[in-house]
Amino acid sequence: MTHLLQNYGTRIPMTFTHGEGVYLFDETGKKHLDFTSGIGVMNLGYSFEAGKAAVKTQVDALAHLSNLYNNPLQEEVADLLDQADHYKAFFANSGAEANEAALKLARLIRPGKEILAFEDGFHGRTFGAMSATMQDKIQNGFSPMVSGFSKAIYNDVDSLKASVTPHTGAILFEIVQGEGGVMPITAEFAAALKSCQEQGVLLIVDEVQTGNGRTGKLFAFEHFGLQPDIFTTAKGLGNGLPVGAMLVKNCYADCFSAGKHGSTFGGNPLAMASAKAVLTELTSDDFLADVTEKADFLKAQLKEKLASKPTVKAIRNLGLMVGIQLTDGTQLQAVLSEARAQGLLVLSAGKDVVRLLPPLVMTKAQLADGVAILEGIL
């Protein structure tokens, strides 16, 4: 008997007791190479000593502080998120909450206007975020959705142009559609979005999974010369602690005036202590350059070892965010299961994609070890 709701379905029958570096250890003592980072959360691995020390120090000093009072740590983390001083930050507890804040703010900036989102995108399971998540499997059973959303086809410039009307106030999108199959944005589509922005449509970039160094930049929109009006992030920001953030351009910041939005736990001292340590590490000399070098190595390994396999249809990546599309999607769960049996943890995305999100601190040798296991399976 379980006292838990079964909304996660039948859980994988594995119990982990601790983590070290980029490995998780189960209750039998078996070591597992983690190519999931806890679904993009443990970007700095399980032995990020600076983060653990910061949290231990903070929990001894002050674990919680109401947002009625000054919180200097919030100022420090906001500065690290935006060192060019283009944005102001709001802190939440998750990516979905950060996206909810972004959607509310967009309504204030562009009152009465629609928000355009894309097929196969994913922005969270709260009502606003779910209404912007144009996937039937996410929305089924919860109608009616929040009104004021429209949809277009991702990476389809013609669909974008046809969908943006005088009623469109903002466009919400991911630089890489994660749950949608690890689908990176094209340069052409990014340029078309920038053109919409120049015509007065707000760009809201969901960097919940792609942010915090995952693609070799602090935020993935930097690869495409975009400067969103609003962007959100979470997951790897706290390296295990629940924290999300929404950032908005300074020129729109006053729209979130007193009382328009808030959070009891958002930006609490524990989360901020962890986020400060994470961002300090990510922005240190050569860290992101090293991530890019390892991403190039992993891409080359995947191309050499897997691309020609008859079981592999395509391999897509941006930095250390990788999707291996199978020719037969019915084999996806078998591949994931066999990988676990061989001590490698990987994820799924969509119906036929093996998703890899290795910690940013994984070595080239460890990346090669993971690819070798996948090569044998595929």
Side-chain angles (χ1 to χ4, degrees):
M1 176 182 173
T2 178
H3 297 284
L4 302 175
L5 285 170
Q6 296 302 292
N7 52 300
Y8 295 111
T10 302
R11 300 198 192 207
I12 298 167
M14 302 172 73
T15 301
F16 295 109
T17 59
H18 64 286
E20 294 178 10
V22 297
Y23 297 96
L24 283 171
F25 294 79
D26 66 26
E27 59 188 349
T28 71
K30 182 178 178 180
K31 181 169 71 173
H32 302 262
L33 183 59
D34 184 11
F35 264 48
T36 77
S37 301
I39 315 184
V41 171
M42 304 302 293
N43 283 359
L44 299 179
Y46 298 94
S47 300
F48 178 44
E49 297 303 328
K52 290 194 287 185
V55 172
K56 288 175 182 176
T57 299
Q58 187 61 51
V59 77
D60 285 339
L62 189 65
H64 177 72
L65 183 67
S66 164
N67 280 310
L68 294 173
Y69 307 104
N70 290 331
N71 186 339
L73 274 173
Q74 289 187 2
E75 291 286 353
E76 294 179 57
V77 174
D79 181 59
L80 287 166
L81 284 167
D82 171 41
Q83 298 177 30
D85 293 329
H86 292 145
Y87 296 89
K88 295 193 185 302
F90 167 81
F91 292 106
N93 308 289
S94 67
E97 287 183 41
N99 283 337
E100 289 287 344
L103 295 172
K104 286 180 68 175
L105 185 54
R107 291 281 176 91
L108 291 174
I109 299 171
R110 296 286 186 264
K113 299 287 188 179
E114 291 184 342
I115 297 171
L116 178 68
F118 296 97
E119 292 183 1
D120 297 321
F122 182 85
H123 303 290
R125 297 177 185 272
T126 50
F127 253 101
M130 177 175 61
S131 299
T133 296
M134 303 299 175
Q135 297 188 45
D136 288 342
K137 68 179 182 180
I138 302 298
Q139 295 185 351
N140 282 347
F142 299 106
S143 294
M145 292 292 107
V146 176
S147 62
F149 291 91
S150 57
K151 70 177 177 179
I153 301 171
Y154 189 72
N155 275 340
D156 187 321
V157 174
D158 290 337
S159 175
L160 174 65
K161 290 180 178 178
S163 301
V164 173
T165 74
H167 300 291
T168 306
I171 302 173
L172 172 64
F173 63 99
E174 301 157 274
I175 299 296
V176 182
Q177 286 192 331
E179 295 290 336
V182 189
M183 192 69 65
I185 198 171
T186 64
E188 180 186 23
F189 198 66
L193 287 164
K194 189 173 183 179
S195 178
C196 293
Q197 184 183 35
E198 291 167 351
Q199 297 170 37
V201 177
L202 301 174
L203 293 189
I204 308 172
V205 180
D206 179 337
E207 291 263 9
V208 170
Q209 190 167 155
T210 54
N212 306 300
R214 172 56 53 188
T215 68
K217 300 283 189 183
L218 190 58
F219 295 105
F221 62 73
E222 298 175 58
H223 290 285
F224 299 92
L226 295 172
Q227 190 176 79
D229 299 287
I230 302 170
F231 68 95
T232 60
T233 190
K235 286 192 178 287
L237 180 57
N239 205 64
L241 270 74
V243 55
M246 179 209 67
L247 289 95
V248 59
K249 279 183 177 178
N250 293 328
C251 59
Y252 299 123
D254 288 345
C255 291
F256 251 5
S257 56
K260 288 295 185 183
H261 196 53
S263 170
T264 296
F265 293 105
N268 75 80
L270 285 185
M272 292 294 95
S274 186
K276 179 183 175 182
V278 167
L279 290 166
T280 299
E281 181 72 6
L282 293 179
T283 56
S284 63
D285 290 345
D286 300 325
F287 185 91
L288 292 176
D290 186 54
V291 172
T292 297
E293 183 179 330
K294 287 187 282 192
D296 290 341
F297 172 81
L298 178 58
K299 182 178 180 179
Q301 283 279 299
L302 292 168
K303 182 178 180 180
E304 176 187 348
K305 306 291 187 181
L306 301 184
S308 63
K309 299 285 186 185
T311 49
V312 175
K313 182 177 181 179
I315 300 174
R316 299 183 289 269
N317 84 293
L318 186 61
L320 286 174
M321 187 171 181
V322 178
I324 303 167
Q325 187 174 11
L326 305 179
T327 52
D328 182 1
T330 64
Q331 295 298 308
L332 178 59
Q333 293 305 316
V335 171
L336 303 186
S337 178
E338 182 59 26
R340 289 193 295 270
Q342 296 190 32
L344 177 67
L345 304 178
V346 295
L347 297 161
S348 63
K351 298 178 180 179
D352 56 2
V353 174
V354 178
R355 178 172 30 162
L356 311 181
L357 297 171
L360 310 183
V361 294
M362 191 171 280
T363 66
K364 290 180 181 177
Q366 291 164 334
L367 290 168
D369 287 345
V371 173
I373 293 172
L374 288 172
E375 180 184 17
I377 295 169
L378 294 173

